[in-house]
Amino acid sequence: MFKFIFLLIFFLTKFSYSYSNSWFTSAADYDSSKYSNLNYITKDNIKNLDTAWVYNNGHVSDRTKSISNNQSTPIFTGNSLIVTSLDNFVIALNPENGKEKWRIKLKSPTAKRGMTFFDGNIFVPSLEGVFVINEHSGILNNTFGKFGLIGTGDKEISLVPPIVFKDKIYIIYKTFLSSHELPSGKLNWKLDLNRARVWSGISFDKETESLVFVTSNLVNLLGNTKIQNDFSNSVIVVDSLTGKLRCKFKDTIHDHWDLDMVGNPILLKKKNQTEKLAYAFSKTGNTFVIELKSCKLKNSDSIKKIKTSNESAIKGEIYSDYQIEVSNPVNLMNLKYNLEEYLSYISKDKINLEYVKHRTRNTKSDSSYIPLSLNYDVIMLGLHGGPEWPGGTHDKLNNQIVIPTNHYPWIVRIYYNCCSKKKVSEVKRKFDLSLRNLTNLKGFYTYQKKCKSCHGKRKNGFYEPEFTGDKYIPSLNGISTLKKFESLKDVNSFNYAHKYSSKIKINESELNSLRKYFTKRDNYLLENDVYRIDGRWQLLLDKNGNFASIPPHGKITAFSIINGKKNWQIPFGQKKYKDNKIINGDMNFGGLLSTKGNLIFATGTTDKKVVAIDALNGKKLWNKQIEFAGSSPPMTYYYKGEQYIIINSSGGRYYGYENKLGDAIYAFKLL
Ligand code: HEC
């Protein structure tokens, strides 16, 4: 009898570990709901919500070396809150006061986008696979895999939480998936995604034995999109037992614009229905709804093909003659940038207007999915979403999905890069590649004296990445074959091109020799195929450093899972411009949590706030300033009679966020 009770207690705790005492994986559960049944904190008492404790892990990333923040939502074991640090520690905290219980150092990157707790162990993705840590001792659990490490042996990073279920683990590496037996770690199967990457978390449906996830584009803006029917930019359903593909649906075809699919697909059943559905999101604003048993698209009726240009100006590049647009669930994004509308929006500010006109003088933005070219730049929205990797939350109480989005402009630039190292050495073997001899000497010296300081020795210019700003100095390689060459036509054109950058004086004769110099050099290097075509995207900012598009630049949208229509939409976050104007709706990279208290918690905006929103109408009910911007979706747990809200506060990586990165975890409770 005693033994029976013991076993009963054992199974009950085992059960509660993994499911009832929820938030066992970074997206809450394997449906990736980011929803909690807890309803201690409600609309009525939220005014009493305040800081319970703040924990600092002690390691702040050095912005000058690597701009990384903590994107791993903590998990709850029932006894401890498990957090991570950017110097690769997994740390157990006392849920009541945030005091450290233990910490263990693993390999980089440790739990980049989350981890999973199952059956007394913490499963942490990292370099080479998944480490298994005993919840109580905080040391590697040797009974699993090779001294507590499970993986295929490949040196490839796993970024997102693994799925652990019964006696199997599913590991998601950057470009492949694998399944292993537990505890041995023996490999069951491996599925290669052919360079498509899994940045966001993966979901799992145990009824249909399905693993559901989305993939990125193939790294570059160029040359990587030969096949249409590959794994990139897709939502993918895999049979967890065999590793066989069950179905996949592609969003952007031949993606040249970095329009990844993003976020953990949300799995759910509609009220009183038996079908299990997966909702998968894309930066394009499209949402796919898949019925998991049949692996069929449920919303194919609302998917429209839109005609796009398939004429590439760049040799060898393939473009699709159509892309798709989903209207139900409601589309979350408009990729098209409207330059005219924006210019009229800023028309009163003549100085800014002039600046933006200059900045956009050689661009195209008249439709979505414009082919890229060496001769013009493309302006569009969407490279940071629409939706982004934090994805949405399934607010079960109100039968809706709530999801944050970004809306600010990008300028996509293609240019000749000098020089492919291999080619240079080949050419050097044939000739003496002393460009001085192969070019116009006067032009060469003029370049050295008057242009090199900005456009660079190799003439590659400078394209500031989105982490710090939008500084742009064009590459001058190949320029004699491009439209840009017109800027060297005469002194006026030269001066106009440099209106905001250089006061350098130049005369017609110098320009003439520069033209000869560029032409000879280009002829030689193009003939020998030494240039490489590259692409970069940059933020498009106005003269004051603000996003050059009409706000809001960030939104939260709630849409009904019953009819796919929008329930409400609000600007997310606030930004104070230099002229003290307040702009509603800002860039955001945090995420959302929904609770049975009829609340949505949101974070990740540059104003460094956590806000609580009425789930029924989007009304803001509560907010709190934190030291560093929220950096992953919030989570919640219940411990010793109280509900806690947890915010990962480590700052933002992109231009627009404060420079300072942090190491904090904030816990809020009713005081
Ligand atoms: C102080 C830095 C600086 C110097 C010096 C400079 N440039 Fe530039 N140049 C720029 C920047 C910045 C731009 C981009 C302006 C823009 O489009 O916003 C630019 C643009 C250009 C363009 C492209 C214009 C277009 O229409 O797209 C050409 C061509 C060019 N520079 C050639 C030269 C030459 C030749 C020299 C030397 C005689 C030179 N630049 C000196 C900074 C510089």
Side-chain angles (χ1 to χ4, degrees):
M1 183 62 188
F2 181 74
K3 205 170 166 189
F4 173 75
I5 290 172
F6 177 80
L7 270 177
L8 188 73
I9 290 171
F10 177 74
F11 279 115
L12 280 176
T13 42
K14 207 166 150 156
F15 183 72
S16 73
Y17 266 150
S18 28
Y19 288 105
S20 78
N21 218 345
S22 68
W23 228 284
F24 65 93
T25 185
S26 287
D29 46 44
Y30 291 152
D31 287 340
S32 300
S33 72
K34 301 194 191 96
Y35 172 83
S36 168
N37 264 322
L38 298 173
N39 59 358
Y40 295 87
I41 303 168
T42 65
K43 235 188 291 199
D44 297 328
N45 61 23
I46 191 140
K47 58 178 184 302
N48 302 324
L49 190 66
D50 214 332
T51 312
W53 49 261
V54 182
Y55 165 79
N56 295 84
N57 67 49
H59 178 85
V60 178
S61 145
D62 179 352
R63 211 182 163 93
T64 58
K65 290 195 185 122
S66 79
I67 309 177
S68 43
N69 58 0
N70 193 329
Q71 302 176 352
S72 186
T73 293
I75 57 172
F76 185 60
T77 68
N79 305 303
S80 301
L81 183 70
I82 308 296
V83 303
T84 58
S85 70
L86 290 174
D87 56 346
N88 308 313
F89 281 98
V90 175
I91 303 156
L93 302 181
N94 180 331
E96 203 177 358
N97 55 27
K99 293 265 178 324
E100 255 186 51
K101 291 180 168 180
W102 52 254
R103 57 162 64 202
I104 176 172
K105 189 158 174 117
L106 301 177
K107 286 190 178 167
S108 172
T110 295
K112 168 103 175 144
R113 282 186 176 159
M115 55 208 147
T116 297
F117 175 72
F118 192 86
D119 208 2
N121 292 294
I122 303 151
F123 293 78
V124 187
S126 181
L127 187 78
E128 295 166 39
V130 169
F131 287 99
V132 188
I133 300 165
N134 179 287
E135 184 213 347
H136 297 290
S137 66
I139 55 176
L140 287 181
N141 191 333
N142 279 329
T143 54
F144 285 88
K146 261 191 195 150
F147 308 107
L149 174 68
I150 302 172
T152 59
D154 294 270
K155 290 255 181 237
E156 189 170 288
I157 288 165
S158 173
L159 298 161
V160 305
I163 303 287
V164 187
F165 187 65
K166 292 184 182 160
D167 55 354
K168 304 266 190 305
I169 181 169
Y170 306 98
I171 303 179
I172 303 85
Y173 290 84
K174 225 189 209 172
T175 63
F176 65 87
L177 265 60
S178 64
S179 159
H180 306 255
E181 292 294 322
L182 288 182
S184 71
K186 187 178 136 292
L187 180 73
N188 288 322
W189 53 256
K190 192 172 154 182
L191 174 68
D192 191 352
L193 301 173
N194 274 322
R195 294 182 301 130
R197 286 148 304 146
V198 185
W199 288 131
S200 311
I202 183 163
S203 304
F204 173 66
D205 175 42
K206 56 180 192 291
E207 281 171 44
T208 58
E209 300 276 4
S210 297
L211 297 162
V212 192
F213 56 98
V214 299
T215 54
S216 74
N217 92 331
L218 294 177
V219 187
N220 280 323
L221 302 169
L222 287 148
N224 266 315
T225 55
K226 298 279 189 284
I227 327 160
Q228 177 172 332
N229 190 26
D230 65 355
F231 284 105
S232 66
N233 301 72
S234 301
V235 48
I236 295 171
V237 184
V238 170
D239 179 349
S240 64
L241 295 178
T242 61
K244 294 265 172 354
L245 176 74
R246 292 194 57 218
C247 58
K248 64 183 162 94
F249 301 96
K250 199 180 205 21
D251 188 26
T252 309
I253 306 158
H254 296 311
D255 178 13
H256 291 260
W257 310 272
D258 195 38
L259 298 170
D260 308 333
M261 286 197 76
V262 285
N264 309 40
I266 295 177
L267 311 189
L268 57 85
K269 280 181 183 169
K270 292 185 188 179
K271 223 176 182 172
N272 307 323
Q273 294 194 12
T274 53
E275 287 179 336
K276 188 85 178 242
L277 305 175
Y279 283 68
F281 312 100
S282 167
K283 283 183 182 176
T284 58
N286 291 334
T287 302
F288 291 101
V289 185
I290 299 164
E291 197 278 301
L292 287 178
K293 198 159 182 199
S294 63
C295 231
K296 292 245 158 67
L297 264 186
K298 278 297 267 189
N299 61 337
S300 51
D301 287 352
S302 78
I303 297 182
K304 192 172 80 187
K305 282 186 180 176
I306 54 166
K307 214 179 136 25
T308 50
S309 167
N310 62 354
E311 273 172 43
S312 176
I314 304 168
K315 216 177 112 207
E317 291 292 295
I318 300 171
Y319 284 81
S320 172
D321 59 3
Y322 75 94
Q323 296 290 350
I324 60 170
E325 210 167 75
V326 180
S327 56
N328 190 309
V330 60
N331 203 293
L332 298 165
M333 183 65 187
N334 183 2
L335 294 173
K336 186 176 151 358
Y337 177 76
N338 196 327
L339 181 59
E340 258 159 52
E341 231 171 65
Y342 178 68
L343 292 177
S344 104
Y345 173 76
I346 57 165
S347 62
K348 285 208 183 92
D349 181 352
K350 294 280 184 264
I351 296 171
N352 197 18
L353 182 71
E354 231 3 83
Y355 174 87
V356 175
K357 275 187 179 166
H358 183 266
R359 192 115 187 118
T360 56
R361 69 191 180 285
N362 190 21
T363 61
K364 274 197 187 182
S365 56
D366 51 338
S367 64
S368 315
Y369 308 100
I370 300 171
L372 308 179
S373 163
L374 286 152
N375 270 318
Y376 57 81
D377 297 331
V378 169
I379 311 180
M380 59 187 288
L381 279 72
L383 279 79
H384 272 180
E388 252 296 337
W389 72 264
T393 171
H394 174 207
D395 171 10
K396 295 184 193 178
L397 188 64
N398 299 301
N399 299 304
Q400 63 184 0
I401 284 176
V402 191
I403 186 161
T405 49
N406 280 318
H407 307 261
Y408 40 85
W410 297 85
I411 184 156
V412 187
R413 311 186 193 270
I414 300 295
Y415 58 94
Y416 284 114
N417 182 304
C418 174
C419 297
S420 150
K421 270 197 187 126
K422 205 171 133 223
K423 293 265 172 64
V424 170
S425 62
E426 271 171 34
V427 174
K428 262 193 162 162
R429 241 182 287 129
K430 277 201 271 173
F431 309 95
D432 173 23
L433 188 72
S434 162
L435 281 173
R436 215 185 293 201
N437 301 329
L438 297 160
T439 56
N440 174 295
L441 217 53
K442 184 172 170 211
F444 174 80
Y445 285 117
T446 311
Y447 184 83
Q448 302 295 311
K449 211 166 92 198
K450 299 202 166 173
C451 320
K452 194 178 103 181
S453 63
C454 290
H455 290 278
K457 186 176 164 211
R458 288 174 167 249
K459 300 164 187 65
N460 280 327
F462 177 68
Y463 299 76
E464 189 170 20
E466 70 258 41
F467 302 105
T468 49
D470 74 332
K471 187 166 179 169
Y472 162 61
I473 306 175
S475 156
L476 298 183
N477 294 308
I479 185 169
S480 66
T481 66
L482 304 175
K483 210 169 155 237
K484 280 191 194 115
F485 205 40
E486 282 167 24
S487 301
L488 304 183
K489 188 173 71 189
D490 51 42
V491 172
N492 278 346
S493 310
F494 179 88
N495 287 345
Y496 180 69
H498 292 90
K499 184 172 172 180
Y500 296 97
S501 48
S502 166
K503 297 275 163 284
I504 205 140
K505 290 269 177 295
I506 195 154
N507 60 38
E508 294 291 349
S509 136
E510 283 172 317
L511 272 180
N512 191 27
S513 57
L514 275 169
R515 276 197 304 271
K516 283 188 188 146
Y517 165 63
F518 283 125
T519 308
K520 276 193 159 181
R521 179 178 180 270
D522 286 343
N523 284 347
Y524 181 76
L525 294 178
L526 282 166
E527 226 167 71
N528 286 287
D529 200 21
V530 182
Y531 287 147
R532 186 179 77 224
I533 296 178
D534 262 343
R536 291 281 182 92
W537 52 78
Q538 290 194 282
L539 287 168
L540 180 66
L541 304 178
D542 73 0
K543 192 159 176 41
N544 305 314
N546 301 315
F547 296 132
S549 66
I550 302 175
H553 299 128
K555 298 178 195 173
I556 298 175
T557 307
F559 68 82
S560 160
I561 56 169
I562 297 161
N563 62 23
K565 297 213 169 102
K566 194 191 294 175
N567 285 341
W568 51 262
Q569 183 171 65
I570 55 162
F572 184 15
Q574 263 191 353
K575 176 139 203 133
K576 203 174 181 183
Y577 278 3
K578 278 188 190 138
D579 58 5
N580 280 332
K581 202 157 82 184
I582 300 281
I583 294 296
N584 282 315
D586 197 9
M587 125 195 275
N588 58 87
F589 278 87
L592 309 179
L593 147 73
S594 57
T595 73
K596 206 178 173 184
N598 228 330
L599 295 170
I600 310 289
F601 289 88
T603 192
T605 44
T606 62
D607 56 13
K608 303 187 295 181
K609 279 189 173 162
V610 188
V611 294
I613 296 163
D614 188 331
L616 285 174
N617 53 28
K619 206 173 137 225
K620 277 179 209 116
L621 301 170
W622 172 92
N623 76 82
K624 194 91 189 165
Q625 182 100 39
I626 50 178
E627 198 180 351
F628 316 100
S631 50
S632 74
M635 57 88 71
T636 185
Y637 58 84
Y638 177 76
Y639 191 73
K640 293 194 179 165
E642 286 175 301
Q643 183 184 358
Y644 292 79
I645 304 288
I646 295 292
I647 304 290
N648 196 346
S649 162
S650 70
R653 300 170 69 216
Y654 298 111
Y655 171 87
Y657 285 98
E658 212 172 68
N659 250 330
K660 240 169 46 183
L661 292 165
D663 64 342
I665 297 284
Y666 276 76
F668 299 99
K669 67 173 188 178
L670 296 172
L671 292 181

